[in-house]
Amino acid sequence: MSLSAAVSGFVVFLLSVSVIQGQDDWGVTYSSTEICAFKGSTVDMSCTYRYPSTVQRVENRFWYTKVSNGVYMDLKTDPEYSGRVQYIFGNNDCTLRITDLRESDSAEYKFRFITDQEGGRYTGKPGVTLRVTGKSFKFRVAICVCVCVLTFSLNEDLCFLFTYSDLQVKVNKLQVYPSKLWAELMCHSRCRLPGHPHFVWYKNGRIIQGQTSSYLVYFTPADSFSCAVAGHENCRSPSLYVQRFDPLSESSAEIVEGSSVNLTCSSDANPAAKYIWYKENGDPDLQPLSKDPQLVFSAIQSSDSGEYYCTAENELGRRTSEYIYINVKYGPRLPSVSVSPSAEIVEGSSVTLTCSSDANPAANYTWYKKNGDPDLQPLSKDPQLVFSSIQSSDSGEYYCTAENQLGRRTSEYIYVDVTYGPRLPSVSVSPSAEIVEGSSVTLTCSSDANPAANYTWYKENEDSPKASGQIFTITDFRAEHSGNYFCEVQNRRGGNKITVHLTVAVNSTKIMNIIRLTLVVLMLIPLLLLSLWTRKKKTLSSTTEPQEPVEMMELVSRPEYENVSDFTAAQTEDTEQQEDMLSVISVFCSLTTEERLLSRRRPSSLEIRGADMSLSAAVSGFVVFLLSVSVIQGQDGWGVTYSSTEICAFKGSTVDMSCTYRYPSTVQRVVNRFWFTKASNSVYTDLKTDPQYSGRVQYICGNNNCSLTITDLRESDSAEYKFRFITGQEGVRYYGSPGVTLTVTDLQVRVNSLHVYVSLPLAVLMCHSNHRLPGRPRYVWYKNGRIIQGQTSYFYLVYFTPADSFSCAVAGHENCRSPPVYGPKLPSVSVSPSAEIVEGSSVTLTCSSDANPAAEYTWYKNNGNSDRHPLSNAIQLHFSSIQSSDSGEYYCTDENQLWGRTSDYISIDVKYGPRLPSVSVSPSAEIVEGSSVTLTCSSDANPAANFTWYKENEDSPKASGQIFTITDFRTEHSGNYSCEAQSRRGRNTTTVHLTVVAVSGKSMAAGTITVVLLAIISLSVFLWIRKKRASRESTEAEERPDDREQGESEEQDDFHYASVHFSNNQADNLSSNIRPAQPRRHVEQQEVEYAAVRFNSASTAPRARGQGAAEDPAALYSTVNKTR
């Protein structure tokens, strides 16, 4: 065993064995004696202890690392551990917990307890050795051990325990783009790693191939990264990732104003995140509230209600939490009361009193009218007290109460002053008895009105007023003062008047005398005439002849009296009466007809008549009636009812308007029905024939209903749309008015500019219209459908998250809100066809996402390369003839002016038939008879192919599977073998030729003899040449044969060497009589050449040339055959 292995085993032993110290029933047992932990983490060390039964109690127990002059320093009193140490005591056990570990905490920790016996104290030794990562130790022999105890070769320096667990991923560079992040990551260790290590990188737990100690990568906030040294992947570094938020937490109970509230932000991040708290208030320059994980409100106020969020930031980036809404509960504030309309309140108008109070939960409201009654009855329990037609009797002081479960408040009084025109006046006359000529008469006019009325007096048939004011006095009433007097009352709300008749009263005695005289005169006139006629007749009779007697009637004009005195008195009295009567007659004759009529009336001095309603008042009342009656379209069974009377739509969108119609039962059928906006000279233009709506209008009409659909709306389409139908009866047609008012708006939110701060973008939004709006409009902004208070400008600066949406409207026209703008939603990816994808087919990948403005799409293929190249910038990625090389993971990104998102991966698995198989033969050298031969067939296919082996001229398969083994190869096994690869997508075949090489004892003996014979022949030739050369030198002068014979002799003494020819066979033949089999499929032909080695002995006489063709018995035949 090597030294390193021995030490490693020793370390493992130390780490795994619990140590029990103690004697004589004293002892401390530690659960672990070696602990390794990360810097900044928390560690627990625990032990149990015992003592003799004679000990009554333990007075003190603690952990320590330092001893000075016999004094043991309790960790709780050590300033280095201040606030980081906690003891957890139980029954004869004790646990030490140290938080926020530091490298300086690396030490040996021991437990000590002290009993009540004198000298009864004990310390557990050895203690627990704690090592915090980052601490380096120097040893003469280096052993690098990770948490899982790995051993490496010796080194000069020791990075003990955590050389590899000390690995961490650091961010060297970071760049932020709208929809992605780019970083340069470094796999770092504080200790020098031995040799030149290779690194393995992990992204989201999956290995990334081919990376060094640094790694350049595009990533999203959801990605995590870790690294390890190659060969030691089980000692991987902690993962590095962007913050992952836990849900924000707050105090779970109801939050009441004045209470203490804590908001806690937590995020899983490595390196640890720094936190900042913000409150969402629409201010682009948000001020941080706190830079701690907790945001503390010691006495929370109602103004603290709102949406809060926190950010967590480390070297890799910054993330923003979801919003958390803090709802502070509090009792009602002092309610405020308002009246609408705020202008003068006129009788008969609609008036609303509104009570409002800031309260949470919302207050319940009650309305009262002040009338001095202690048992006030509530008028309403709604926030509003509504008078649909307020009356003068409703004037008075009102107040409201606001109440919730946290309190009750009462508002101040508000006075409601209802103004109205003068009521019908009343006139009083003083004195109320008969008006005596010459007396003083006072007329008083009164009328209920608000504001107070002005009074004016008129006399009939006189244009100028007689007086102004409530009271009109005539000091010396004469007969000419008699007549009709008018009191006219008027204020700014209207007028009214009343008439009174005044007549002077005459003396009754005088009246009787006048009557008597009148009667007398009337009686005397005929008597006087008769008397004159009689006297004239008498005169005529005295002067003429007597005529016929005439009967005469005597009228007694006066009574007869007995004496003269009586007669004289009577005559005198009559004379006075006659004079009086004449004066009365003269006066009577001088009277006007009207005065005479009045004189005949009963002497009542006053006659009052109520003024009738004037024509103008009557008409006014009729008009009011018309205005107050709701208009119902249709009468006598005719009518059109619209589902909506006002519609607001966006430019370019589609709108539907619908209605129902009715007609009397006497109508047989409807011959035509259409919608129109234009009418000229009683000609109604059907929208379908209007060039302005060409191709954009559709009617969908059913049983007594009809809908109008207009597509591609334009601003010029803003109009009032009416429905008209014509029946089969002559001249019977009808249309519904008023119709449907359509307003088309082009209001839209534009992204003026965008600034990205890590993961929290800031946008400048603009509420835009293609047309200049009149005046200086104010705007209303909406975020996620909720009004943003205090934003009235046409532009809006806001920080936002991918989930936010924004829209705007012109103040006063909130029903015509612009379409919302928002960043893309997470794109979804679909593949068509959805069935199995076959090589050569047409395949389309579609990326879809909801976004406004519309998103731009980009397609990528995941190939582990950080420098990704887009495949397409269209919404669809199309493969007209997909290939197997196109298999893999694809994803798309969608991006608009606000944000960008990346889809999930979609895997494309292209199916294809087996490619041409390849066959390998093992062993690859010559196949020796009796040996084992293994054939391996491989073919690229999806799905994986099934393999079947065949031999030529045999129908049944030899084997199935990729590997075919012949254990005892014989001559009969030689031949062509076929490997067929097959899947449901197709098949393919390849052939291999096998030939056995025969090796036997006979052939070996022949080979040996051949070698020996060759050696003997060579030696013999060598000796013969030397002998002949010596003989030639001795006889050269005496006898020389001719050149021709010498040449022939030399030729016959030469060796003939064999030629070697290599054929294309797969096996070597040892004999010329081994013939190759004829292949069933393609077979390569074998070629064999024979070579002879011929030797002519020196003792043998030269042969004739004709015998040279005979076969020499000394020739050796051999065959050399090699497969190509």
Side-chain angles (χ1 to χ4, degrees):
M1 180 184 292
S2 65
L3 177 61
S4 60
V7 175
S8 175
F10 178 65
V11 171
V12 173
F13 177 76
L14 287 179
L15 291 174
S16 62
V17 176
S18 297
V19 177
I20 302 175
Q21 302 100 355
Q23 53 189 355
D24 300 330
D25 292 330
W26 295 88
V28 173
T29 303
Y30 298 101
S31 58
S32 299
T33 58
E34 294 273 351
I35 296 179
C36 305
F38 289 106
K39 179 181 177 181
S41 64
T42 298
V43 70
D44 287 343
M45 307 177 203
S46 59
C47 72
T48 59
Y49 58 94
R50 66 184 186 278
Y51 45 82
S53 58
T54 56
V55 174
Q56 298 298 319
R57 68 180 185 279
V58 175
E59 295 183 340
N60 193 12
R61 46 189 173 177
F62 58 89
W63 292 77
Y64 72 93
T65 60
K66 302 173 184 177
V67 181
S68 177
N69 299 324
V71 177
Y72 301 86
M73 180 178 288
D74 188 342
L75 286 181
K76 281 197 170 184
T77 63
D78 192 335
E80 290 184 16
Y81 295 88
S82 177
R84 299 190 298 121
V85 168
Q86 179 184 1
Y87 294 160
I88 303 171
F89 293 117
N91 186 18
N92 283 52
D93 61 74
C94 181
T95 299
L96 165 64
R97 177 170 295 167
I98 308 175
T99 60
D100 189 22
L101 282 174
R102 306 167 184 173
E103 293 181 21
S104 58
D105 295 339
S106 296
E108 184 182 4
Y109 292 79
K110 304 182 187 71
F111 176 72
R112 181 175 176 82
F113 65 95
I114 303 171
T115 68
D116 58 348
Q117 289 186 3
E118 186 176 355
R121 57 198 67 189
Y122 191 84
T123 301
K125 295 181 182 181
V128 179
T129 301
L130 171 65
R131 292 181 177 85
V132 180
T133 179
K135 180 76 174 179
S136 297
F137 300 91
K138 298 287 185 176
F139 291 93
R140 294 180 61 186
V141 179
I143 304 170
C144 293
V145 186
C146 77
V147 176
C148 42
V149 192
L150 294 174
T151 306
F152 295 92
S153 60
L154 299 178
N155 242 329
E156 291 181 351
D157 296 325
L158 170 68
C159 181
F160 184 74
L161 229 82
F162 292 95
T163 293
Y164 292 102
S165 62
D166 185 43
L167 282 177
Q168 56 181 308
V169 179
K170 285 193 172 182
V171 183
N172 270 5
K173 294 179 183 178
L174 178 68
Q175 293 183 8
V176 180
Y177 300 97
S179 62
K180 55 194 174 185
L181 301 170
W182 177 90
E184 179 184 355
L185 307 179
M186 179 68 71
C187 193
H188 174 76
S189 173
R190 296 193 182 189
C191 302
R192 183 172 63 86
L193 300 177
H196 298 282
H198 295 279
F199 292 86
V200 179
W201 283 89
Y202 299 84
K203 180 179 179 180
N204 301 326
R206 298 170 61 183
I207 293 178
I208 303 167
Q209 302 295 337
Q211 298 296 334
T212 61
S213 61
S214 62
Y215 177 33
L216 306 177
V217 63
Y218 286 98
F219 66 96
T220 65
D223 293 333
S224 65
F225 302 91
S226 59
C227 66
V229 175
H232 308 285
E233 288 81 355
N234 55 340
C235 286
R236 197 185 306 178
S237 73
S239 293
L240 178 74
Y241 44 85
V242 184
Q243 298 80 9
R244 298 169 184 170
F245 275 101
D246 297 331
L248 294 178
S249 62
E250 59 170 304
S251 302
S252 57
E254 185 178 78
I255 301 174
V256 181
E257 190 173 41
S259 62
S260 176
V261 176
N262 295 340
L263 302 184
T264 302
C265 183
S266 59
S267 171
D268 181 17
N270 186 18
K274 296 179 180 178
Y275 300 94
I276 301 179
W277 278 96
Y278 296 93
K279 183 179 182 182
E280 170 64 24
N281 56 9
D283 183 4
D285 300 324
L286 289 170
Q287 298 299 319
L289 303 176
S290 172
K291 294 188 177 181
D292 295 321
Q294 283 193 331
L295 177 60
V296 178
F297 299 91
S298 56
I300 199 164
Q301 301 300 312
S302 61
S303 57
D304 295 324
S305 292
E307 291 180 322
Y308 290 81
Y309 64 94
C310 66
T311 62
E313 185 173 5
N314 66 4
E315 299 169 4
L316 264 184
R318 174 181 175 183
R319 293 293 298 276
T320 301
S321 72
E322 300 288 342
Y323 289 98
I324 184 171
Y325 185 73
I326 298 301
N327 189 16
V328 181
K329 309 289 187 179
Y330 50 93
R333 311 301 191 207
L334 181 66
S336 64
V337 179
S338 62
V339 60
S340 176
S342 57
E344 187 177 67
I345 299 174
V346 182
E347 187 176 43
S349 64
S350 176
V351 177
T352 301
L353 303 184
T354 302
C355 183
S356 60
S357 173
D358 184 19
N360 191 13
N364 297 317
Y365 298 94
T366 308
W367 278 98
Y368 298 93
K369 184 177 182 181
K370 182 183 178 183
N371 55 11
D373 184 3
D375 299 326
L376 288 172
Q377 297 300 316
L379 303 176
S380 171
K381 293 190 176 182
D382 295 319
Q384 290 184 327
L385 177 60
V386 179
F387 300 91
S388 58
S389 179
I390 199 166
Q391 302 301 313
S392 59
S393 58
D394 295 324
S395 295
E397 289 183 315
Y398 292 83
Y399 66 94
C400 68
T401 62
E403 184 176 7
N404 66 6
Q405 58 262 41
L406 296 176
R408 181 176 188 239
R409 296 292 296 274
T410 301
S411 72
E412 297 179 349
Y413 291 102
I414 185 172
Y415 185 75
V416 176
D417 186 21
V418 182
T419 61
Y420 49 94
R423 310 301 191 203
L424 184 67
S426 64
V427 177
S428 63
V429 181
S430 179
S432 59
E434 295 178 347
I435 301 174
V436 180
E437 189 174 15
S439 63
S440 176
V441 178
T442 300
L443 304 180
T444 303
C445 186
S446 61
S447 174
D448 182 21
N450 187 20
N454 296 318
Y455 298 86
T456 306
W457 293 92
Y458 295 91
K459 187 177 180 185
E460 190 177 27
N461 298 324
E462 293 185 12
D463 295 331
S464 59
K466 301 296 291 182
S468 62
Q470 275 190 277
I471 300 174
F472 172 36
T473 302
I474 305 174
T475 55
D476 185 12
F477 198 90
R478 298 294 177 185
E480 60 269 20
H481 292 145
S482 297
N484 290 326
Y485 287 84
F486 302 97
C487 171
E488 185 177 84
V489 292
Q490 189 172 9
N491 65 7
R492 62 176 178 269
R493 302 254 63 88
N496 220 328
K497 66 180 179 179
I498 194 171
T499 302
V500 61
H501 186 78
L502 298 183
T503 304
V504 66
V506 183
N507 190 289
S508 60
T509 303
K510 187 179 265 188
I511 291 175
M512 290 301 296
N513 290 333
I514 292 173
I515 293 173
R516 289 172 185 169
L517 179 61
T518 301
L519 291 174
V520 169
V521 169
L522 291 174
M523 293 177 66
L524 286 177
I525 289 174
L527 290 175
L528 180 60
L529 293 174
L530 181 62
S531 175
L532 292 174
W533 179 77
T534 304
R535 289 179 64 184
K536 183 178 180 181
K537 189 174 182 180
K538 284 182 179 181
T539 302
L540 290 174
S541 62
S542 61
T543 57
T544 61
E545 294 180 354
Q547 298 178 354
E548 293 180 357
V550 178
E551 183 177 354
M552 296 183 65
M553 180 177 65
E554 183 179 0
L555 297 176
V556 179
S557 60
R558 60 180 184 272
E560 294 182 356
Y561 294 96
E562 293 179 355
N563 51 46
V564 175
S565 60
D566 292 336
F567 171 76
T568 304
Q571 187 178 15
T572 303
E573 185 178 355
D574 290 339
T575 301
E576 292 175 356
Q577 290 178 355
Q578 289 174 2
E579 290 175 353
D580 291 338
M581 184 173 289
L582 289 174
S583 64
V584 169
I585 291 173
S586 63
V587 170
F588 183 81
C589 290
S590 66
L591 293 175
T592 64
T593 304
E594 182 179 5
E595 290 172 332
R596 285 197 298 272
L597 289 173
L598 289 173
S599 66
R600 294 193 187 102
R601 294 180 182 177
R602 185 176 61 85
S604 174
S605 62
L606 179 64
E607 181 179 350
I608 300 176
R609 295 176 300 169
D612 296 331
M613 181 182 290
S614 66
L615 178 60
S616 61
V619 173
S620 173
F622 180 66
V623 170
V624 170
F625 173 75
L626 287 179
L627 292 176
S628 63
V629 174
S630 300
V631 176
I632 301 175
Q633 298 179 9
Q635 52 191 358
D636 302 328
W638 298 88
V640 173
T641 302
Y642 298 99
S643 58
S644 299
T645 57
E646 287 194 8
I647 297 177
C648 180
F650 298 111
K651 180 179 178 182
S653 64
T654 298
V655 70
D656 290 333
M657 309 176 201
S658 59
C659 71
T660 58
Y661 57 93
R662 65 184 185 278
Y663 45 82
S665 58
T666 56
V667 175
Q668 298 298 320
R669 70 183 190 279
V670 174
V671 297
N672 194 13
R673 47 192 173 179
F674 59 90
W675 292 76
F676 70 93
T677 60
K678 303 172 185 176
S680 176
N681 298 325
S682 298
V683 177
Y684 302 88
T685 303
D686 187 344
L687 287 182
K688 282 195 171 182
T689 64
D690 192 337
Q692 181 179 336
Y693 295 89
S694 177
R696 298 190 298 121
V697 168
Q698 180 184 2
Y699 296 159
I700 304 174
C701 297
N703 187 17
N704 286 52
N705 62 76
C706 192
S707 294
L708 164 65
T709 300
I710 308 175
T711 60
D712 188 21
L713 283 174
R714 306 167 184 172
E715 292 179 66
S716 58
D717 296 339
S718 297
E720 182 181 4
Y721 292 78
K722 305 183 185 73
F723 175 73
R724 178 175 174 84
F725 64 95
I726 302 172
T727 68
Q729 294 184 8
E730 185 177 357
V732 179
R733 56 201 68 192
Y734 191 85
Y735 70 87
S737 181
V740 180
T741 301
L742 171 65
T743 303
V744 180
T745 178
D746 68 337
L747 204 65
Q748 56 181 308
V749 176
R750 288 187 174 179
V751 182
N752 215 26
S753 61
L754 182 69
H755 307 277
V756 179
Y757 300 99
V758 189
S759 59
L760 190 64
L762 169 67
V764 179
L765 307 179
M766 184 171 66
C767 195
H768 174 77
S769 174
N770 291 327
H771 300 277
R772 183 175 170 273
L773 300 177
R776 295 182 178 178
R778 300 170 69 250
Y779 294 83
V780 179
W781 283 91
Y782 300 83
K783 179 179 180 182
N784 302 326
R786 297 170 59 184
I787 292 179
I788 303 169
Q789 302 295 338
Q791 292 294 334
T792 59
S793 175
Y794 72 95
F795 67 90
Y796 175 37
L797 281 75
V798 62
Y799 286 98
F800 65 95
T801 64
D804 293 334
S805 64
F806 302 91
S807 58
C808 67
V810 177
H813 304 280
E814 288 81 355
N815 59 329
C816 285
R817 197 184 306 178
S818 73
V821 297
Y822 47 90
K825 308 301 183 188
L826 183 68
S828 62
V829 178
S830 61
V831 59
S832 175
S834 57
E836 186 176 70
I837 299 173
V838 181
E839 188 174 42
S841 64
S842 175
V843 176
T844 301
L845 303 183
T846 303
C847 185
S848 59
S849 174
D850 180 22
N852 189 23
E856 296 179 353
Y857 299 91
T858 308
W859 278 98
Y860 298 93
K861 183 177 182 182
N862 183 29
N863 54 10
N865 188 358
S866 58
D867 299 328
R868 55 182 184 174
H869 297 287
L871 303 176
S872 171
N873 290 320
I875 193 171
Q876 288 185 329
L877 177 60
H878 182 67
F879 300 91
S880 57
S881 177
I882 200 164
Q883 301 301 312
S884 60
S885 57
D886 295 324
S887 293
E889 290 182 324
Y890 292 81
Y891 64 96
C892 67
T893 63
D894 58 348
E895 188 170 350
N896 67 3
Q897 299 168 1
L898 286 173
W899 201 261
R901 301 291 291 272
T902 301
S903 73
D904 293 329
Y905 291 104
I906 185 171
S907 180
I908 299 299
D909 187 20
V910 181
K911 307 295 185 181
Y912 52 95
R915 308 304 192 203
L916 183 65
S918 64
V919 176
S920 63
V921 181
S922 178
S924 58
E926 296 175 344
I927 301 175
V928 180
E929 189 174 14
S931 63
S932 175
V933 178
T934 300
L935 305 180
T936 303
C937 187
S938 59
S939 174
D940 182 21
N942 188 15
N946 298 316
F947 298 91
T948 307
W949 292 91
Y950 296 90
K951 187 180 180 186
E952 187 179 24
N953 299 324
E954 292 184 13
D955 295 332
S956 59
K958 301 297 291 182
S960 61
Q962 274 190 276
I963 300 174
F964 171 36
T965 303
I966 305 174
T967 54
D968 185 11
F969 200 91
R970 299 296 177 186
T971 303
E972 60 269 19
H973 293 144
S974 297
N976 291 325
Y977 288 84
S978 303
C979 170
E980 183 179 82
Q982 182 179 9
S983 71
R984 65 173 182 269
R985 302 254 61 90
R987 65 180 64 196
N988 218 327
T989 304
T990 192
T991 302
V992 63
H993 184 76
L994 300 183
T995 303
V996 67
V997 178
V999 180
S1000 63
K1002 188 175 182 179
S1003 61
M1004 291 180 65
T1008 303
I1009 293 170
T1010 302
V1011 172
V1012 172
L1013 288 176
L1014 286 174
I1016 293 172
I1017 291 170
S1018 298
L1019 182 58
S1020 299
V1021 170
F1022 175 72
L1023 294 174
W1024 177 81
I1025 290 172
R1026 289 187 64 184
K1027 181 178 181 182
K1028 188 174 183 180
R1029 188 175 296 171
S1031 175
R1032 184 184 304 159
E1033 289 175 357
S1034 62
T1035 61
E1036 184 177 9
E1038 299 175 1
E1039 184 181 359
R1040 285 184 180 270
D1042 57 27
D1043 294 338
R1044 189 175 187 87
E1045 292 176 355
Q1046 185 181 358
E1048 290 179 359
S1049 177
E1050 288 178 358
E1051 285 182 5
Q1052 292 173 358
D1053 291 337
D1054 290 339
F1055 288 99
H1056 292 267
Y1057 296 97
S1059 62
V1060 180
H1061 177 77
F1062 299 100
S1063 70
N1064 294 326
N1065 293 331
Q1066 291 179 336
D1068 295 340
N1069 291 333
L1070 294 180
S1071 175
S1072 61
N1073 53 10
I1074 298 178
R1075 300 182 60 190
Q1078 298 299 322
R1080 178 164 55 99
R1081 297 175 177 85
H1082 175 69
V1083 179
E1084 296 178 353
Q1085 299 296 328
Q1086 297 176 341
E1087 295 180 7
V1088 180
E1089 283 194 3
Y1090 300 95
V1093 181
R1094 189 170 63 237
F1095 171 73
N1096 297 328
S1097 176
S1099 60
T1100 307
R1103 297 182 182 181
R1105 189 173 291 275
Q1107 297 174 346
E1111 197 173 276
D1112 194 333
L1116 175 65
Y1117 298 95
S1118 67
T1119 300
V1120 181
N1121 185 18
K1122 184 175 181 180
T1123 350
R1124 193 187 325 183

